[in-house]
Amino acid sequence: MSPVEANWEALEADLADYLARKGLVPSCRAGCAACCHGLVTLSRLEGEALLPHLTEAQQSRLLEEGPKRLALLREGKEDPRFPSRFFQSRTPCPFLEGGLCGVYPHRPLACRGLLTTGDPALCAPEAKTPKGHFLAVPWRMAHRRMEALWEEERRRHGFVVIGELAGLLYLLLQGLPEGRGEVEGLLRELGVLGGRWGFQVV
Ligand code: SF4
């Protein structure tokens, strides 16, 4: 099993254990996909683990959606309100299929760690989501797993690339260069390097 798959599985086990110990039952359900309209980020290793599982139709949607996301990032990466503007634009994740995640077993850590026990209506873009609506501990657990994968990526490549899901997967599908300077050069040329919400190379 790859380190990415091991971290996906370990997070699922940690979450199940935590929820059972606390007697928490998430209200997240199949078909409830408000959070799949938000800005999701992942690292290169997670992207590389997800890519081989995409169907042809999913790859086609990615080829269509990737450049659009990169253009949005180029325009909005410095805007403090970019994530909420993006969320309110109700642009679905390219893997959302009939209200369900089309890559569910291979979805990123960021998707796995976002859970609520609250009213699902409060997850919607137009809702005034109260503070604490999303469970803090599951999110922290997911974040710790992300950090473990960043370390693994740094061991393998010497640096880590983190970016928006459709944009990063699109670039991986096109073939991301190997060296750090080349990757930074490409992202700079595309106008999506750095800023508040742009790609991070660290
Ligand atoms: S990968 Fe799946 S769970 Fe994550 S945002 Fe996309 S459709 Fe939703």
Side-chain angles (χ1 to χ4, degrees):
M1 185 185 295
S2 75
V4 174
E5 288 164 337
N7 274 282
W8 285 341
E9 280 200 9
L11 176 62
E12 295 298 338
D14 289 350
L15 290 175
D17 179 56
Y18 170 75
L19 294 170
R21 273 192 292 111
K22 294 290 178 184
L24 296 170
V25 180
S27 48
C28 309
R29 292 282 178 272
C32 172
C35 58
C36 299
H37 295 73
L39 204 62
V40 174
T41 60
L42 79 174
S43 64
R44 174 189 192 153
L45 274 197
E46 266 201 292
E48 286 170 345
L50 171 52
L51 268 188
H53 300 285
L54 297 185
T55 63
E56 277 188 24
Q58 288 166 341
Q59 286 191 26
S60 302
R61 285 205 300 279
L62 194 56
L63 289 172
E64 207 178 295
E65 186 62 21
K68 292 184 194 164
R69 299 281 174 117
L70 293 172
L72 285 175
L73 276 177
R74 186 160 56 239
E75 173 264 326
K77 70 184 170 77
E78 305 288 353
D79 178 0
R81 296 199 64 251
F82 179 67
S84 60
R85 276 203 294 125
F86 180 79
F87 193 36
Q88 280 160 14
S89 74
R90 284 192 166 275
T91 310
C93 172
F95 306 132
L96 190 61
E97 296 166 0
L100 301 175
C101 175
V103 295
Y104 194 77
H106 315 289
R107 69 200 188 287
L109 290 165
C111 305
R112 295 169 194 259
L114 197 64
L115 296 174
T116 184
T117 53
D119 180 354
L122 294 175
C123 301
E126 61 278 5
K128 287 205 178 345
T129 310
K131 211 171 160 46
H133 176 68
F134 294 106
L135 296 174
V137 173
W139 180 253
R140 280 204 296 276
M141 288 174 160
H143 205 271
R144 275 201 296 275
R145 296 280 163 194
M146 290 176 208
E147 288 172 342
L149 288 181
W150 299 343
E151 280 314 306
E152 176 64 22
E153 188 169 328
R154 193 168 284 118
R155 266 195 296 277
R156 285 192 197 181
H157 295 283
F159 60 99
V160 184
V161 185
I162 302 164
E164 188 278 328
L165 178 142
L168 179 52
L169 286 172
Y170 169 77
L171 293 176
L172 288 173
L173 205 57
Q174 303 291 307
L176 204 59
E178 263 308 307
R180 178 175 183 153
E182 291 165 292
V183 171
E184 285 177 332
L186 171 68
L187 295 172
R188 196 173 292 114
E189 196 179 307
L190 291 167
V192 297
L193 179 66
R196 282 173 181 257
W197 313 109
F199 282 64
Q200 304 297 321
V201 179
V202 288

